[in-house]
Amino acid sequence: MKKVPLFIAVLLISCGQGKKEGSQEKDLSSQEQQAQQIESQEKVLVFNKPKTDWDERNLKGKVKKITAYTYPWVQNEETGDYFKVEKEGYCMETQFNPQGFISSVCQYESVKKKKVALQYHYHYNTQGQLDTLRYSMQYSGGKYDFVEAFHYDAVGNKIQRDNYKNGQLENREFYSAEQTLEGKRMEVIGGQRKTPYKVWIYFDAQDREIKNEYYQDNQLKYTTLYTYDQEGKCIKTDTQESDGYRQVTTYTYDEYGNKTKEKREITSFEGAEPREEIYYESQEYDSKGNIIEQYTAKEASRTVTYYEIEYYE
């Protein structure tokens, strides 16, 4: 497969023997054009500007903060009516910066917000790129602090990610991207203090991930394929592992782009497993069209979530 690296371009010019002068000038001109094209590629980002978290979450308007209250939605065996279990509810707050990216996430163990269960803080550099993600988790064995640090090259391509746990380096990943005749692809190499691994990620013309190959010890462990609809929403993921395990997940959406159903089918060497389906029913929207009340059903388990949304304007 012929490759045209975007990060480092090397041009080797050779002139054939016995060619006419005009032919040599034509070849040289063609090679110069190729060199200029490759050089220009070095000056631009490999990938398009990422979607904002507003776009990723299908949010309308400049959302500043979302407070979500989630409760079990239980059926009364005598009357058949459903009701929420107040004492088992929990709360999650998500804040966005004015550019539309998440700045913090805080999950509380109850809706009264007395005890924090999980907390994330996002920091962006002057170019608007995520450079540090800090989060903490509370377990029975104590509290753990995690840091993810991202590094970029001179033109903004992500080239490295470092993962720390309680101040100790846990993993380090290196990224390199290239343009092939089939499209863009990215190589990810990692495995600090763990089994070394490599990931090849392939993208379409819209920079959407369409294929993911994961290797350990130079052996392909699994492959995931992604399918999108005409609006760019992911409607199917298909993961196949080397041991015969396969998971196919399909997604459906309403006319507003909100996910309404998630169906997961799993096949292993022991045969097909029971199909898992998750339904999302949005009951109410605010004046901008964002969901403020949603019911989720997964087999016998049901929940209801109420959203309080604040805007910058």
Side-chain angles (χ1 to χ4, degrees), residues 107-200:
Q107 180 175 322
Y108 299 89
E109 291 187 353
S110 71
V111 295
K112 296 181 179 180
K113 305 181 185 179
K114 289 185 177 181
K115 189 175 182 180
V116 174
L118 182 63
Q119 198 166 26
Y120 289 82
H121 292 284
Y122 299 75
H123 183 268
Y124 300 86
N125 61 25
T126 55
Q127 304 301 316
Q129 299 162 316
L130 177 65
D131 64 7
T132 308
L133 169 59
R134 300 178 183 274
Y135 55 101
S136 59
M137 296 182 181
Q138 191 76 36
Y139 296 103
S140 57
K143 180 182 178 182
Y144 295 89
D145 294 313
F146 300 87
V147 176
E148 294 184 18
F150 300 86
H151 306 272
Y152 303 85
D153 64 14
V155 293
N157 299 298
K158 183 170 64 176
I159 57 175
Q160 183 177 325
R161 182 179 73 171
D162 298 331
N163 295 72
Y164 297 88
K165 177 181 177 182
N166 291 339
Q168 298 294 321
L169 181 65
E170 286 286 299
N171 189 36
R172 174 168 286 162
E173 289 183 338
F174 297 96
Y175 302 79
S176 60
E178 63 185 8
Q179 180 75 44
T180 71
L181 294 179
E182 289 76 21
K184 299 175 184 176
R185 73 173 184 174
M186 175 179 288
E187 181 185 43
V188 183
I189 298 177
Q192 179 77 13
R193 299 182 62 183
K194 296 180 179 180
T195 303
Y197 60 87
K198 177 190 291 187
V199 185
W200 281 110

Side-chain angles (χ1 to χ4, degrees), residues 21 68 138 180 212 219 234 238 269 298:
E21 182 178 351
Q138 191 76 36
T180 71
N212 184 310
Q219 298 293 320
C234 182
D238 186 348
F269 61 89
K298 179 181 177 182

Side-chain angles (χ1 to χ4, degrees), residues 218-247:
N218 295 321
Q219 298 293 320
L220 179 62
K221 293 298 183 180
Y222 67 81
T223 300
T224 301
L225 303 176
Y226 301 83
T227 305
Y228 301 87
D229 64 12
Q230 294 182 346
E231 286 74 37
K233 297 186 296 295
C234 182
I235 57 175
K236 180 181 178 181
T237 61
D238 186 348
T239 299
Q240 299 188 54
E241 298 186 6
S242 57
D243 62 1
Y245 176 92
R246 183 180 184 184
Q247 176 175 303

Side-chain angles (χ1 to χ4, degrees), residues 287-306:
S287 60
K288 294 184 181 294
N290 290 315
I291 299 171
I292 57 175
E293 184 178 334
Q294 185 178 59
Y295 295 82
T296 303
K298 179 181 177 182
E299 298 178 349
S301 175
R302 296 172 181 266
T303 61
V304 57
T305 302
Y306 303 98

